[in-house]
Amino acid sequence: MVDHTAYFNGEWVPFSEVKISPLDRGFEVGDVVFDVARTFNGKSFRMKEHIDRLYRSLKYVRIDTGLSFDEMMQVSEEIITRNEPHRAEAGDFTVRQFVTRGAGAWTHNAGPPAICVYVQPIGFRRFARFYSEGAHGVIPRTRSYPVEALDPKVKHYSRMNFNLAELEVADIDPEAWPIMTDLDGNITEGTGYNVFMVSDGVIRTAGDRSILQGISRATVFDLAEQLNIPIVEEELQPYDLYNADEAFFSGTSPCVLPVTRVDKREVGDGKPGPITQQLLAAWSERVGVDIVGQAERFAGLS
Amino acid sequence: MVDHTAYFNGEWVPFSEVKISPLDRGFEVGDVVFDVARTFNGKSFRMKEHIDRLYRSLKYVRIDTGLSFDEMMQVSEEIITRNEPHRAEAGDFTVRQFVTRGAGAWTHNAGPPAICVYVQPIGFRRFARFYSEGAHGVIPRTRSYPVEALDPKVKHYSRMNFNLAELEVADIDPEAWPIMTDLDGNITEGTGYNVFMVSDGVIRTAGDRSILQGISRATVFDLAEQLNIPIVEEELQPYDLYNADEAFFSGTSPCVLPVTRVDKREVGDGKPGPITQQLLAAWSERVGVDIVGQAERFAGLS
Amino acid sequence: MVDHTAYFNGEWVPFSEVKISPLDRGFEVGDVVFDVARTFNGKSFRMKEHIDRLYRSLKYVRIDTGLSFDEMMQVSEEIITRNEPHRAEAGDFTVRQFVTRGAGAWTHNAGPPAICVYVQPIGFRRFARFYSEGAHGVIPRTRSYPVEALDPKVKHYSRMNFNLAELEVADIDPEAWPIMTDLDGNITEGTGYNVFMVSDGVIRTAGDRSILQGISRATVFDLAEQLNIPIVEEELQPYDLYNADEAFFSGTSPCVLPVTRVDKREVGDGKPGPITQQLLAAWSERVGVDIVGQAERFAGLS
Amino acid sequence: MVDHTAYFNGEWVPFSEVKISPLDRGFEVGDVVFDVARTFNGKSFRMKEHIDRLYRSLKYVRIDTGLSFDEMMQVSEEIITRNEPHRAEAGDFTVRQFVTRGAGAWTHNAGPPAICVYVQPIGFRRFARFYSEGAHGVIPRTRSYPVEALDPKVKHYSRMNFNLAELEVADIDPEAWPIMTDLDGNITEGTGYNVFMVSDGVIRTAGDRSILQGISRATVFDLAEQLNIPIVEEELQPYDLYNADEAFFSGTSPCVLPVTRVDKREVGDGKPGPITQQLLAAWSERVGVDIVGQAERFAGLS
Amino acid sequence: MVDHTAYFNGEWVPFSEVKISPLDRGFEVGDVVFDVARTFNGKSFRMKEHIDRLYRSLKYVRIDTGLSFDEMMQVSEEIITRNEPHRAEAGDFTVRQFVTRGAGAWTHNAGPPAICVYVQPIGFRRFARFYSEGAHGVIPRTRSYPVEALDPKVKHYSRMNFNLAELEVADIDPEAWPIMTDLDGNITEGTGYNVFMVSDGVIRTAGDRSILQGISRATVFDLAEQLNIPIVEEELQPYDLYNADEAFFSGTSPCVLPVTRVDKREVGDGKPGPITQQLLAAWSERVGVDIVGQAERFAGLS
Amino acid sequence: MVDHTAYFNGEWVPFSEVKISPLDRGFEVGDVVFDVARTFNGKSFRMKEHIDRLYRSLKYVRIDTGLSFDEMMQVSEEIITRNEPHRAEAGDFTVRQFVTRGAGAWTHNAGPPAICVYVQPIGFRRFARFYSEGAHGVIPRTRSYPVEALDPKVKHYSRMNFNLAELEVADIDPEAWPIMTDLDGNITEGTGYNVFMVSDGVIRTAGDRSILQGISRATVFDLAEQLNIPIVEEELQPYDLYNADEAFFSGTSPCVLPVTRVDKREVGDGKPGPITQQLLAAWSERVGVDIVGQAERFAGLS
């Protein structure tokens, strides 16, 4: 297995050498923020928006990395270049930045932070076959955090509730993807992706109060505008999803992933929908990569 | 600095060699449970209750360590023995167990878990001077997780909300300790300790719905019974704490820590209270260690 | 009294023969979904939308009728034809479909469902005089169900909270109509009708998260667009209703019913408002029936 | 199949003749209250408490039956006598009373109510094998109604949320029994039974704010007192149930039913617990019927 | 009309001279705390507890009166003596203390506070006839403040929600007394009195989380203990009150006032209950005043 | 100090003679509604909207002033004329109307109301220096009232929670202005001003469900439209405010006040933003007063 080059606390090292101290608050109390972008044909996609979101998270939790926005951008681009020799076998990379608080007895006097940027081959096997089959969604009992405890707009590593949600969902359908709800029963997000549905020709998704402000989600808004498909933010409930004509997830790696079944109910006719397909096609065109083809090829499906 | 002996995935290693992979879900999504006991004069205190709580957490999050309860007990005791040569300079140890989920794309097929048991010198400097001065408490805006998102009875590492609470509290008083509340404004717990108050001669503390089921808290209940001091579980709000006669925290390391000021209001007469002192004395007697004296000595205060 | 022809479990029978077994879960645990359309001059109005909503309800509660959408449409139209001989004395009909779960010890192995479609003369006497006088509304203490317990978008028969609301309202004003609120105090719906208000020349009504997705409500949206009257969905509270310029209900039988008093406060000048009248006129025109005139005539008011 | 004698609106009729009009609000809007007792060896058990609870429900929803408490008692006893000839083949009966609102356009001027009392053979097959195997519980996403919408202490027929809960549970385990929670995630009740757990030698169950005030639940309290087993009402969450030593349901027909698995986690050692068994034995003794033996015999298990 | 002597900002003045500036924050933003005691035969009752509660309120809102506890006690007793010449015609007095914040642009730099202590003849006419008839209670839609906005344990003047509740109640029954609930539908308190019910021989009342910590309420607890009547704090809902055997209010002036009707439902047999009467008798004995007799006499009923 | 002329209960009196009885419910239970307008160069601004909002408040709380809308307008304008001789030294006036309920034992039979209209010199010193420096905001723990207890759209004097919020904020930064949130953690309003932020070139502010319907807020909407700056109502949280490009308050006296720091985090580049400045300039132009210049001059800053 390839040992990619990573950036860790100011140095370029093999990723296998990146290790976290059990005393770092990043591990000990989940005191980490992060972001993840991906490449298309080795070129970063919307890296600026990802780094921007990372700095919003950092500001919220008051960690000072010591790196300027531009330095973080530069590292995040350089790491792609440095690992380009290994890209062919991976297809494309995810590029992840994380920043921990560092060690200390209290949050406000801990440090220094650990800063890491690393690439990984995109995990096409996890999702490739759902472009044609459609993924299944299940809405678990476990809820998203409320804003008052931990704002879901912060991209952090304290995600135990997401883990519990995945376990519950696997009890119902081991292949299903969680679709979480907030304390009032409104659909929020998946465990790393946003949730969309289409009805009456309109794309609908939750407002960004209780969810991560997805960059892929923003791309869906852009593409919808380009394709002249109306798109709105609304409070949505399971009823809406069950009775939608189409549904899909958006996420950094899969971009757009069709959803054809939710809580054992077929969405629409149970097949990936036409608007979902249009979005995938438009996205592929924009990035110059056949998103579905690449995923299926690298997942060994074609 | 001493490099204590730790148990890590079946082996005894120097603690400095315990490192967490950034791909372990324990780091990446806060998918860890843990527990912490302490020694008195090198003897473990209520280790069985701590391990029992660890296994309750494990059951809740469905991680199977592969270690039986008895094996975990045995390791947790042996680590004290192995590190006994270094105890004199530390005074006493904390003994911590943590178990991560391991690596994997989804929670339900991740693994193997990382299991670690390690000791650390008790951080007496963090709290010793408050036995005589009394600690200050501040109630931050950030809330405990609700049971529906992540049950606070599970002892996990996904604690970003605790970090935010500590930052807020330090804005008001850099020496103050957070006292958290739930979504309804009821007092829950500190960031690693339980909260008690005394009024009308009765010790009062929150029920264990929205808090960790503290072993030190249970010890306070035992000692109160032994001392014939009534003790009750109630929903309590800031009003009750401001107007209490005494207040204190319970926690593994400090056992019982007097609180003399909350949200800029003096509790009682602003000095550690008599029932608080009684509890400390009874606890000292039970474990055969002058708890306050030891802390002050090792913190360099006496 | 006329014994209209009904459809019951595949057969055409006199309505007086439609009876529900006390062991049918439809009775025993309120396990029924339904819908109600009406005719204008004997022609169905938006039957497709009603049947569509019925099938959304069925999908939500997972009852399989064994009837296709088209068959349900066909039955719902045929019943009008079969009862046409009795229409003159009724003015017009409501057409109701209901589907029960059937008998069984558990929901998931109960059946077969009971399917019934029947007509009734429209109950003009219940509402006709309010076209000129304006209806009174009262906001009761009892709340709409939250989505998490039972989504109000499902059209079901488990409506005990609606009954309690009606009783409370009658204590204040025996002629008043309930206007319910959700658990946060937002206006939701009446016990079988949606609620609108007009202020600053804009028609306002609750979004469809906590209410039935009214077909009459949708018609109001259509007519408002046709009349170039702005119409928006908003969270609304009693304050908004008390201080509105106009208010009205929408419902299958009365279509649009003026509201002139809410919680003992006059709405606007205490008379049916001009936009309300415009909507009634436009609706009458669309269906070729003088809605108010018909109601008043059949209620014996003119 | 036997056609038992029922009481219906003042007359004794074969149960097969009891039918509900689709226009009765009892069907149309779930406007019914009811109660269910059972016999042991043909003798009613705590009938007075059941009728008392029925009258509390009636008072809450303001239905006046026209029958006095004593008349309702008398009918409820007489029906047992009248059906005694058929009891041998059934083992024992449930005795159910229900009262509907009657027909009408508004709740407050509807009527007359329909009053029915009927017996049924106890459905031993539904639960008999779980005395030895232990039942499985699953906690669904769908919630109990909040008090503000519909007080769960009222025993009514508007139970669509219970139906949805049963469907969700069957997705996970078709043999499992639902254990519901309230809007705050506290355990409330099953779909017709109360939920208990045992830990530290104490029987624990939810307080009766969000649950039906079970007569069987009250019997468990009596028996616990008789057996000197401490029993308390507490707010309980899934964590408590997963980590309990024993769990069981109480209900009119099964009396006490062991629960050995909740949400795929074994409760205790995964076998019916000793305190559960003690309660069953004491109950059997009190009523002079071997509860388990009778159930297994009539279910064809022995 | 008598112009009683009042204490105002350090001076003894005729009450008619006590006036509040519209610029005092006490008026302008409801920034006042207060308390009210009463006399029996001219002797103060539990004055220390009242002043103690006043100082708890002052501590909560951080107003410093400049008066010590003892000085406030002294003034509160002296005012009774000074007005003793007018007591005969009044029967007895209420003694009220209020403290405003004073004027200022922001709360934290406003002042000096206005401090007033004054007596008033007890308003026997308001409640005397209900000792024999029983008062009526109505539960309005408007809620108590949640602890997170304004803790109801603070005795303040910002009570607009109480005013709205009284208006709603008067719509249903102009003679009824409001019984408020919290945001979860639990019974809290009246607009100046606590609420009790009796069932199964046990006196029940809400815990003091969402209510004022009534001194009369505490007296009821004392008397119940003296009379060997069990008394408990519980979450209570309208269901419990409708189905109670007795109900009553406690308050400074009426002490204990029977309640015989709630939300149009008779409580018990619709007459003041025996335990209510026992409490009144015991209270009368304790203070050496026939409470009911005095009230009826001064209200002109006897 | 000037003793301005005030209107009080039908008469023109020196403001120093306006005094509130401690028995007026307006003082005793916060039973007052009010409004505040200001002048620019001695001319009233949007007086009609202010009086309109006052009458909405009056309708909500059901106080009848006996004054018609036109009479209240007339008085509110006349008071400016009467005090014009004193305006030069004040710069400009605020014009405040308040109406109390009057005295009485119950809300529904109290009266007559006290009606007062008065002017005050604008308190430029309170805010003038923040036009250039930017104000600081702090989000306190204390919450806005929920609609169910007391609708924040009513402009009343029962504002104890606002006082508590100001005290908390001063603990963190004595110069900071409170920014309140609702029970769900959404930003609502300040203690007398509305809150705006700018991001992506869009002005964003909370919808008017949980806030006062600010007239200055409405003016910001008008000016934004005039300046072609998009402006939207959204649910906003602290995350949004910390990460905004600009922030500002709107209020009657300062009109628009830049905010440059929230919860110790710089907003944008920490300086008053360009859109904020544009709004101030446009407002100044509209009213013919250099808003900032006037404030700084009268505050003695220039």
Side-chain angles (χ1 to χ4, degrees), chain F residues 13 45 47 54 61 81 86 133 137 173 188-190 226 238 264 293:
Chain F
V13 299
F45 182 68
M47 185 64 83
L54 176 66
V61 304
T81 320
H86 304 295
E133 291 175 19
D173 180 348
T188 55
E189 61 189 328
Q226 170 193 316
K264 309 259 171 185

Side-chain angles (χ1 to χ4, degrees), chain D residues 190-213:
Chain D
T191 51
Y193 38 91
N194 289 115
V195 181
F196 292 79
M197 64 196 76
V198 181
S199 59
D200 305 323
V202 178
I203 305 175
R204 300 169 198 278
T205 193
D208 65 6
R209 164 170 154 66
S210 310
I211 62 169
L212 196 74
Q213 298 178 320

Side-chain angles (χ1 to χ4, degrees), chain E residues 30-105:
Chain E
D31 202 351
V32 195
V33 295
F34 77 111
D35 222 287
V36 191
R38 71 162 278 184
T39 62
F40 289 100
N41 270 344
K43 278 191 233 116
S44 72
F45 182 67
R46 296 195 154 199
M47 184 64 82
K48 200 182 156 310
E49 281 96 325
H50 283 280
I51 305 292
D52 194 61
R53 186 172 61 182
L54 175 66
Y55 275 78
R56 294 203 302 272
S57 295
L58 286 163
K59 188 174 195 180
Y60 194 90
V61 305
R62 300 204 214 169
I63 295 177
D64 180 0
T65 61
L67 286 191
S68 70
F69 185 97
D70 287 346
E71 288 166 332
M72 188 66 83
M73 274 297 289
Q74 197 276 327
V75 168
S76 300
E77 292 293 351
E78 183 175 342
I79 204 165
I80 300 171
T81 320
R82 285 182 179 253
N83 287 288
E84 176 64 18
H86 304 295
R87 192 179 54 82
E89 66 194 274
D92 265 303
F93 292 133
T94 55
V95 184
R96 179 181 290 238
Q97 305 86 12
F98 70 74
V99 186
T100 75
R101 178 85 58 184

Side-chain angles (χ1 to χ4, degrees), chain B residues 53 55-57 59-62 147-148 151 153-154 208-209 213, chain D residues 143 183-186 235 237 239-240 242-243 263-266 268:
Chain B
R53 186 173 60 183
Y55 275 79
R56 295 203 302 274
S57 295
K59 189 174 195 179
Y60 193 90
V61 304
R62 298 203 214 170
V147 163
E148 294 189 275
D151 193 315
K153 293 189 282 294
V154 178
D208 65 6
R209 164 170 153 65
Q213 297 177 322
Chain D
R143 303 308 167 98
L183 292 183
D184 293 323
N186 298 306
E235 286 195 338
Q237 294 86 39
Y239 179 96
D240 302 300
Y242 300 165
N243 285 302
D263 282 353
K264 306 261 172 185
R265 290 152 179 98
E266 271 196 0

